[in-house]
C-alpha cells in the first residue's frame, strides 16, 4: 500500500486547498494465469488481481473541469467535461477522460468537475493492465462521488467500452473485469461470452507465482492485436459454411472445430483459430486439475499455452520466449508462459518456494545474456478488486 500521508500532501501541494474532502480509491493490476486471446472470441479466461495497482485521490470542484495529475508522469492537465475528445498529446490522461466521456454517454451526467491525482505502481506497458486499472478506478470513484451505484460488472463493461471507443484499442473484457472483480487469494474463471464467473480459490501450496517483466515494452495500439482479432473474425466467417449461426470461435467445441477446420481457407488464419479453441479447452482443463490440486498438470497446461501462443498465434517474440526458456530450465519450475497480449510484457511462472531466489538470479542472468535486457521479477500475491480506501487505513 502506498504512503497515503505523502500522497495526500502531494495532492494538496498540486491542487491547493485542504485534504478534508479528498477520498481515496484503489484498483489493482491483473495477471492472467491461462486463457490468452480467448476473451474477444467469447471464450474463457482465468486471471487474478494483483496486490498492487493504481491509487486515485479525488476531490469535487465547483465547476465542470477535470484536473488530472499523476505522481508517475510530469504531464498534467485541466480539461472541461463538455466536449471531451481523444488527444494523442494527452497520453495517459486519455484513460480517465475516456471514462468520464463514457459515463456521460451513458446518461450519468457528472454534476461537477473533480481534481484527480493518480499514483500508479504497475510498470507501464508491461501487460499487467495499468490502463484497465486507471479506467476502473476512475469509473468507480466518479460513480461513488456522484452517489451512483457501483456495479463492478457494469464498471468493467463501461471501462472496456471507453478503451474500445474513446482510446481506440479493441481489447476484450478480461482486464477490466479482473481489475473490477478480483478477490484476494482467488482467480476468476470468467466466461467472456455470458460474463458468468466463478471465484476459484487459488491454492498453490508450496509454489509461488512469479511474474517476470521482460522490460520489452508492448505497444498495444500499434501492435498486431487488432490484426489477430480480424483473423479470428475471418475464421468465423469461413466456419459459417458448417455452422451458419456462429458468431464467435468460443461457441465451438474442440471436436467441432477439429472436424471442420479445413473450411478455413487461409493457413495462418486456421492456426490462429486453432490456438483459440485449444486455449479455451486448456482453461477448462486447468480448472479441473486445480480442483484436485494437481499443480504439476496445471504447469504443463501453462507450458502448452505459451507454446501455442508462440507457434500458432505468434504473439510471443524473442524476449518472452527467451525468458520462458530460461524459466523452464530452473529445477522446481512447474510451468512458465507469457501473460497478457504478448509482443513483450511479462511472463508468469509457477515456482517452488525454495527455488524462487535461484529462479530470479538464473532467469535474470540467462535472459540478459540472450537479449541484452535486464528483467524485473515480482513474487505475486493475489489481491482484491477495486474499492474505496478509508483515509485512516
Ligand atoms: C490484452 C487485452 C485483453 C486480452 C489479452 C490477451 O490484455 O486487453 O482483453 O485480449 O490482451 O488475452
Amino acid at each position: 500500500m502506498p504512503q497515503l500521508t505523502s500522497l495526500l500532501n502531494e495532492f494538496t501541494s498540486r491542487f491547493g486547498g485542504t485534504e478534508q474532502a479528498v477520498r481515496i480509491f484503489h484498483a489493482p493490476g491483473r495477471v492472467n494465469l491461462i486463457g490468452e486471446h480467448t476473451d474477444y472470441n467469447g471464450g474463457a479466461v482465468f486471471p487474478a488481481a494483483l496486490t498492487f495497482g493504481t491509487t486515485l485521490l479525488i476531490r469535487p470542484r465547483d465547476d465542470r473541469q477535470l484536473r488530472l495529475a499523476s505522481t508517475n508522469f510530469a504531464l498534467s492537465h485541466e480539461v472541461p467535461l463538455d466536449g471531451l475528445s481523444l488527444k494523442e498529446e494527452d497520453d495517459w490522461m486519455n484513460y480517465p477522460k475516456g471514462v468520464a466521456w463514457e459515463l456521460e454517454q451513458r446518461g450519468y451526467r457528472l454534476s461537477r468537475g473533480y481534481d484527480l491525482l493518480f499514483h500508479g505502481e504497475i510498470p507501464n506497458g508491461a501487460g499487467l493492465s495499468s490502463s484497465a486499472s486507471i479506467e476502473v478506478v476512475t469509473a468507480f470513484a466518479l460513480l461513488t462521488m456522484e452517489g451512483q451505484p457501483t456495479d463492478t460488472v457494469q464498471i468493467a463493461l463501461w471501462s472496456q467500452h471507453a478503451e474500445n471507443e474513446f482510446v481506440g484499442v479493441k481489447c476484450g473484457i478480461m482486464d477490466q473485469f479482473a481489475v473490477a472483480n478480483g478477490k484476494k487469494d482467488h482467480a476468476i474463471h470468467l466466461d467472456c461470452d455470458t460474463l458468468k464467473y466463478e471465484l476459484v480459490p487459488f491454492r498453490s501450496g508450496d509454489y509461488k507465482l512469479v511474474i517476470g517483466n521482460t522490460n520489452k515494452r508492448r505497444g498495444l495500439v500499434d501492435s498486431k492485436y487488432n490484426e489477430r482479432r480480424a483473423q479470428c473474425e475471418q475464421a468465423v466467417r469461413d466456419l459459417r459454411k458448417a455452422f451458419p449461426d456462429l458468431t464467435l470461435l468460443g461457441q465451438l467445441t474442440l471436436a467441432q472445430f477439429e472436424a471442420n477446420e479445413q473450411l478455413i481457407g487461409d493457413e495462418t488464419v486456421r492456426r490462429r483459430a486453432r490456438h483459440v479453441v485449444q486455449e479455451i479447452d486448456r482453461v477448462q482443463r486447468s480448472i479441473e486439475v486445480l480442483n484436485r490440486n494437481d499443480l504439476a498438470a496445471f504447469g504443463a497446461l501453462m507450458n502448452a499455452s505459451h507454446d501455442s501462443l508462440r507457434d500458432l498465434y505468434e504473439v510471443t517474440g524473442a524476449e518472452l520466449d527467451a525468458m520462458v526458456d530460461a524459466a523452464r530450465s530452473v529445477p522446481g519450475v512447474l510451468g512458465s508462459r507469457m501473460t497478457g497480449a504478448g509482443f513483450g510484457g511479462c511472463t508468469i511462472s509457477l515456482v517452488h518456494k525454495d527455488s524462487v531466489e535461484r529462479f530470479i538470479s538464473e532467469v535474470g542472468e540467462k535472459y540478459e545474456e540472450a537479449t541484452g535486457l535486464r528483467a524485473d521479477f515480482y513474487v505475486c500475491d493475489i489481491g482484491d478488486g477495486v474499492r474505496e480506501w478509508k483515509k485512516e487505513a
Side-chain angles (χ1 to χ4, degrees), residues 54-298:
T54 312
T55 306
L56 167 60
L57 284 72
I58 182 169
R59 187 179 61 189
R61 297 170 54 84
D62 293 332
D63 54 17
R64 276 183 53 81
Q65 296 287 107
L66 286 183
R67 275 200 294 184
L68 299 160
S70 161
T71 59
N72 305 79
F73 306 98
L75 197 61
S76 64
H77 203 24
E78 179 164 341
V79 283
L81 273 173
D82 301 298
L84 288 168
S85 64
L86 180 79
K87 293 211 175 82
E88 210 177 310
E89 66 273 20
D90 282 357
D91 198 44
W92 69 272
M93 292 180 290
N94 284 311
Y95 296 109
K97 276 169 51 185
V99 167
W101 170 86
E102 177 74 24
L103 294 182
E104 297 245 326
Q105 298 283 309
R106 302 265 161 195
Y108 289 97
R109 188 182 151 78
L110 301 179
S111 60
R112 55 177 91 188
Y114 291 95
D115 291 331
L116 301 103
L117 175 67
F118 292 85
H119 173 72
E121 300 167 310
I122 308 169
N124 218 359
L128 300 177
S129 295
S130 54
S131 48
S133 179
I134 296 177
E135 289 156 3
V136 167
V137 79
T138 306
F140 189 91
L142 288 175
L143 288 168
T144 307
M145 299 299 282
E146 292 284 321
Q148 296 291 344
T150 49
D151 174 335
T152 46
V153 173
Q154 275 304 345
I155 284 177
L157 283 166
W158 293 342
S159 299
Q160 180 205 13
H161 194 257
E163 178 138 355
N164 289 170
E165 301 306 321
F166 189 90
V167 180
V169 182
K170 300 291 176 201
C171 64
I173 187 63
M174 169 170 72
D175 303 351
Q176 290 81 4
F177 199 94
V179 163
N181 297 291
K183 185 165 178 227
K184 190 172 162 36
D185 298 332
H186 289 69
I188 307 172
H189 180 209
L190 169 68
D191 176 328
C192 299
D193 192 13
T194 60
L195 293 190
K196 283 209 184 101
Y197 72 104
E198 191 193 359
L199 294 168
V200 181
F202 191 73
R203 294 187 208 90
S204 54
D206 284 342
Y207 287 82
K208 296 271 179 201
L209 288 169
V210 183
I211 295 175
N213 186 351
T214 61
N215 285 318
K216 152 98 169 126
R217 281 196 55 138
R218 154 211 69 90
L220 205 57
V221 192
D222 305 326
S223 72
K224 302 272 182 190
Y225 187 87
N226 289 350
E227 183 190 297
R228 292 295 182 283
R229 282 197 76 143
Q231 289 169 329
C232 293
E233 284 156 18
Q234 180 58 50
V236 167
R237 282 194 292 277
D238 288 351
L239 286 162
R240 280 204 195 118
K241 284 173 216 136
F243 305 96
D245 299 331
L246 192 72
T247 53
L248 294 162
L249 283 173
Q251 292 157 353
L252 293 179
T253 63
L254 186 52
Q256 284 172 324
F257 176 79
E258 281 170 352
N260 292 281
E261 63 175 311
Q262 77 292 344
L263 292 174
I264 303 173
D266 185 276
E267 195 271 332
T268 305
V269 172
R270 202 179 313 138
R271 276 188 294 127
R272 304 291 189 249
R274 196 180 305 146
H275 161 77
V276 170
V277 180
Q278 290 178 346
E279 182 78 352
I280 294 169
D281 183 63
R282 273 189 287 271
V283 177
Q284 190 49 46
R285 283 194 283 148
S286 297
I287 305 293
E288 287 159 18
V289 298
L290 286 171
N291 269 338
R292 25 173 229 270
N293 266 329
D294 189 347
L295 286 174
F298 178 57

Side-chain angles (χ1 to χ4, degrees), residues 5 51 95 127 201 207 292 311 315 345 390:
T5 320
T51 48
Y95 296 109
Y207 287 82
R292 25 173 229 270
D311 301 334
V315 292
K390 295 298 162 203

Side-chain angles (χ1 to χ4, degrees), residues 30 32 35-40 171-175 220 225 340-341:
R30 70 94 189 89
N32 189 21
E36 220 63 85
H37 289 278
T38 52
D39 60 353
Y40 52 83
C171 64
I173 187 63
M174 169 170 72
D175 303 351
L220 205 57
Y225 187 87

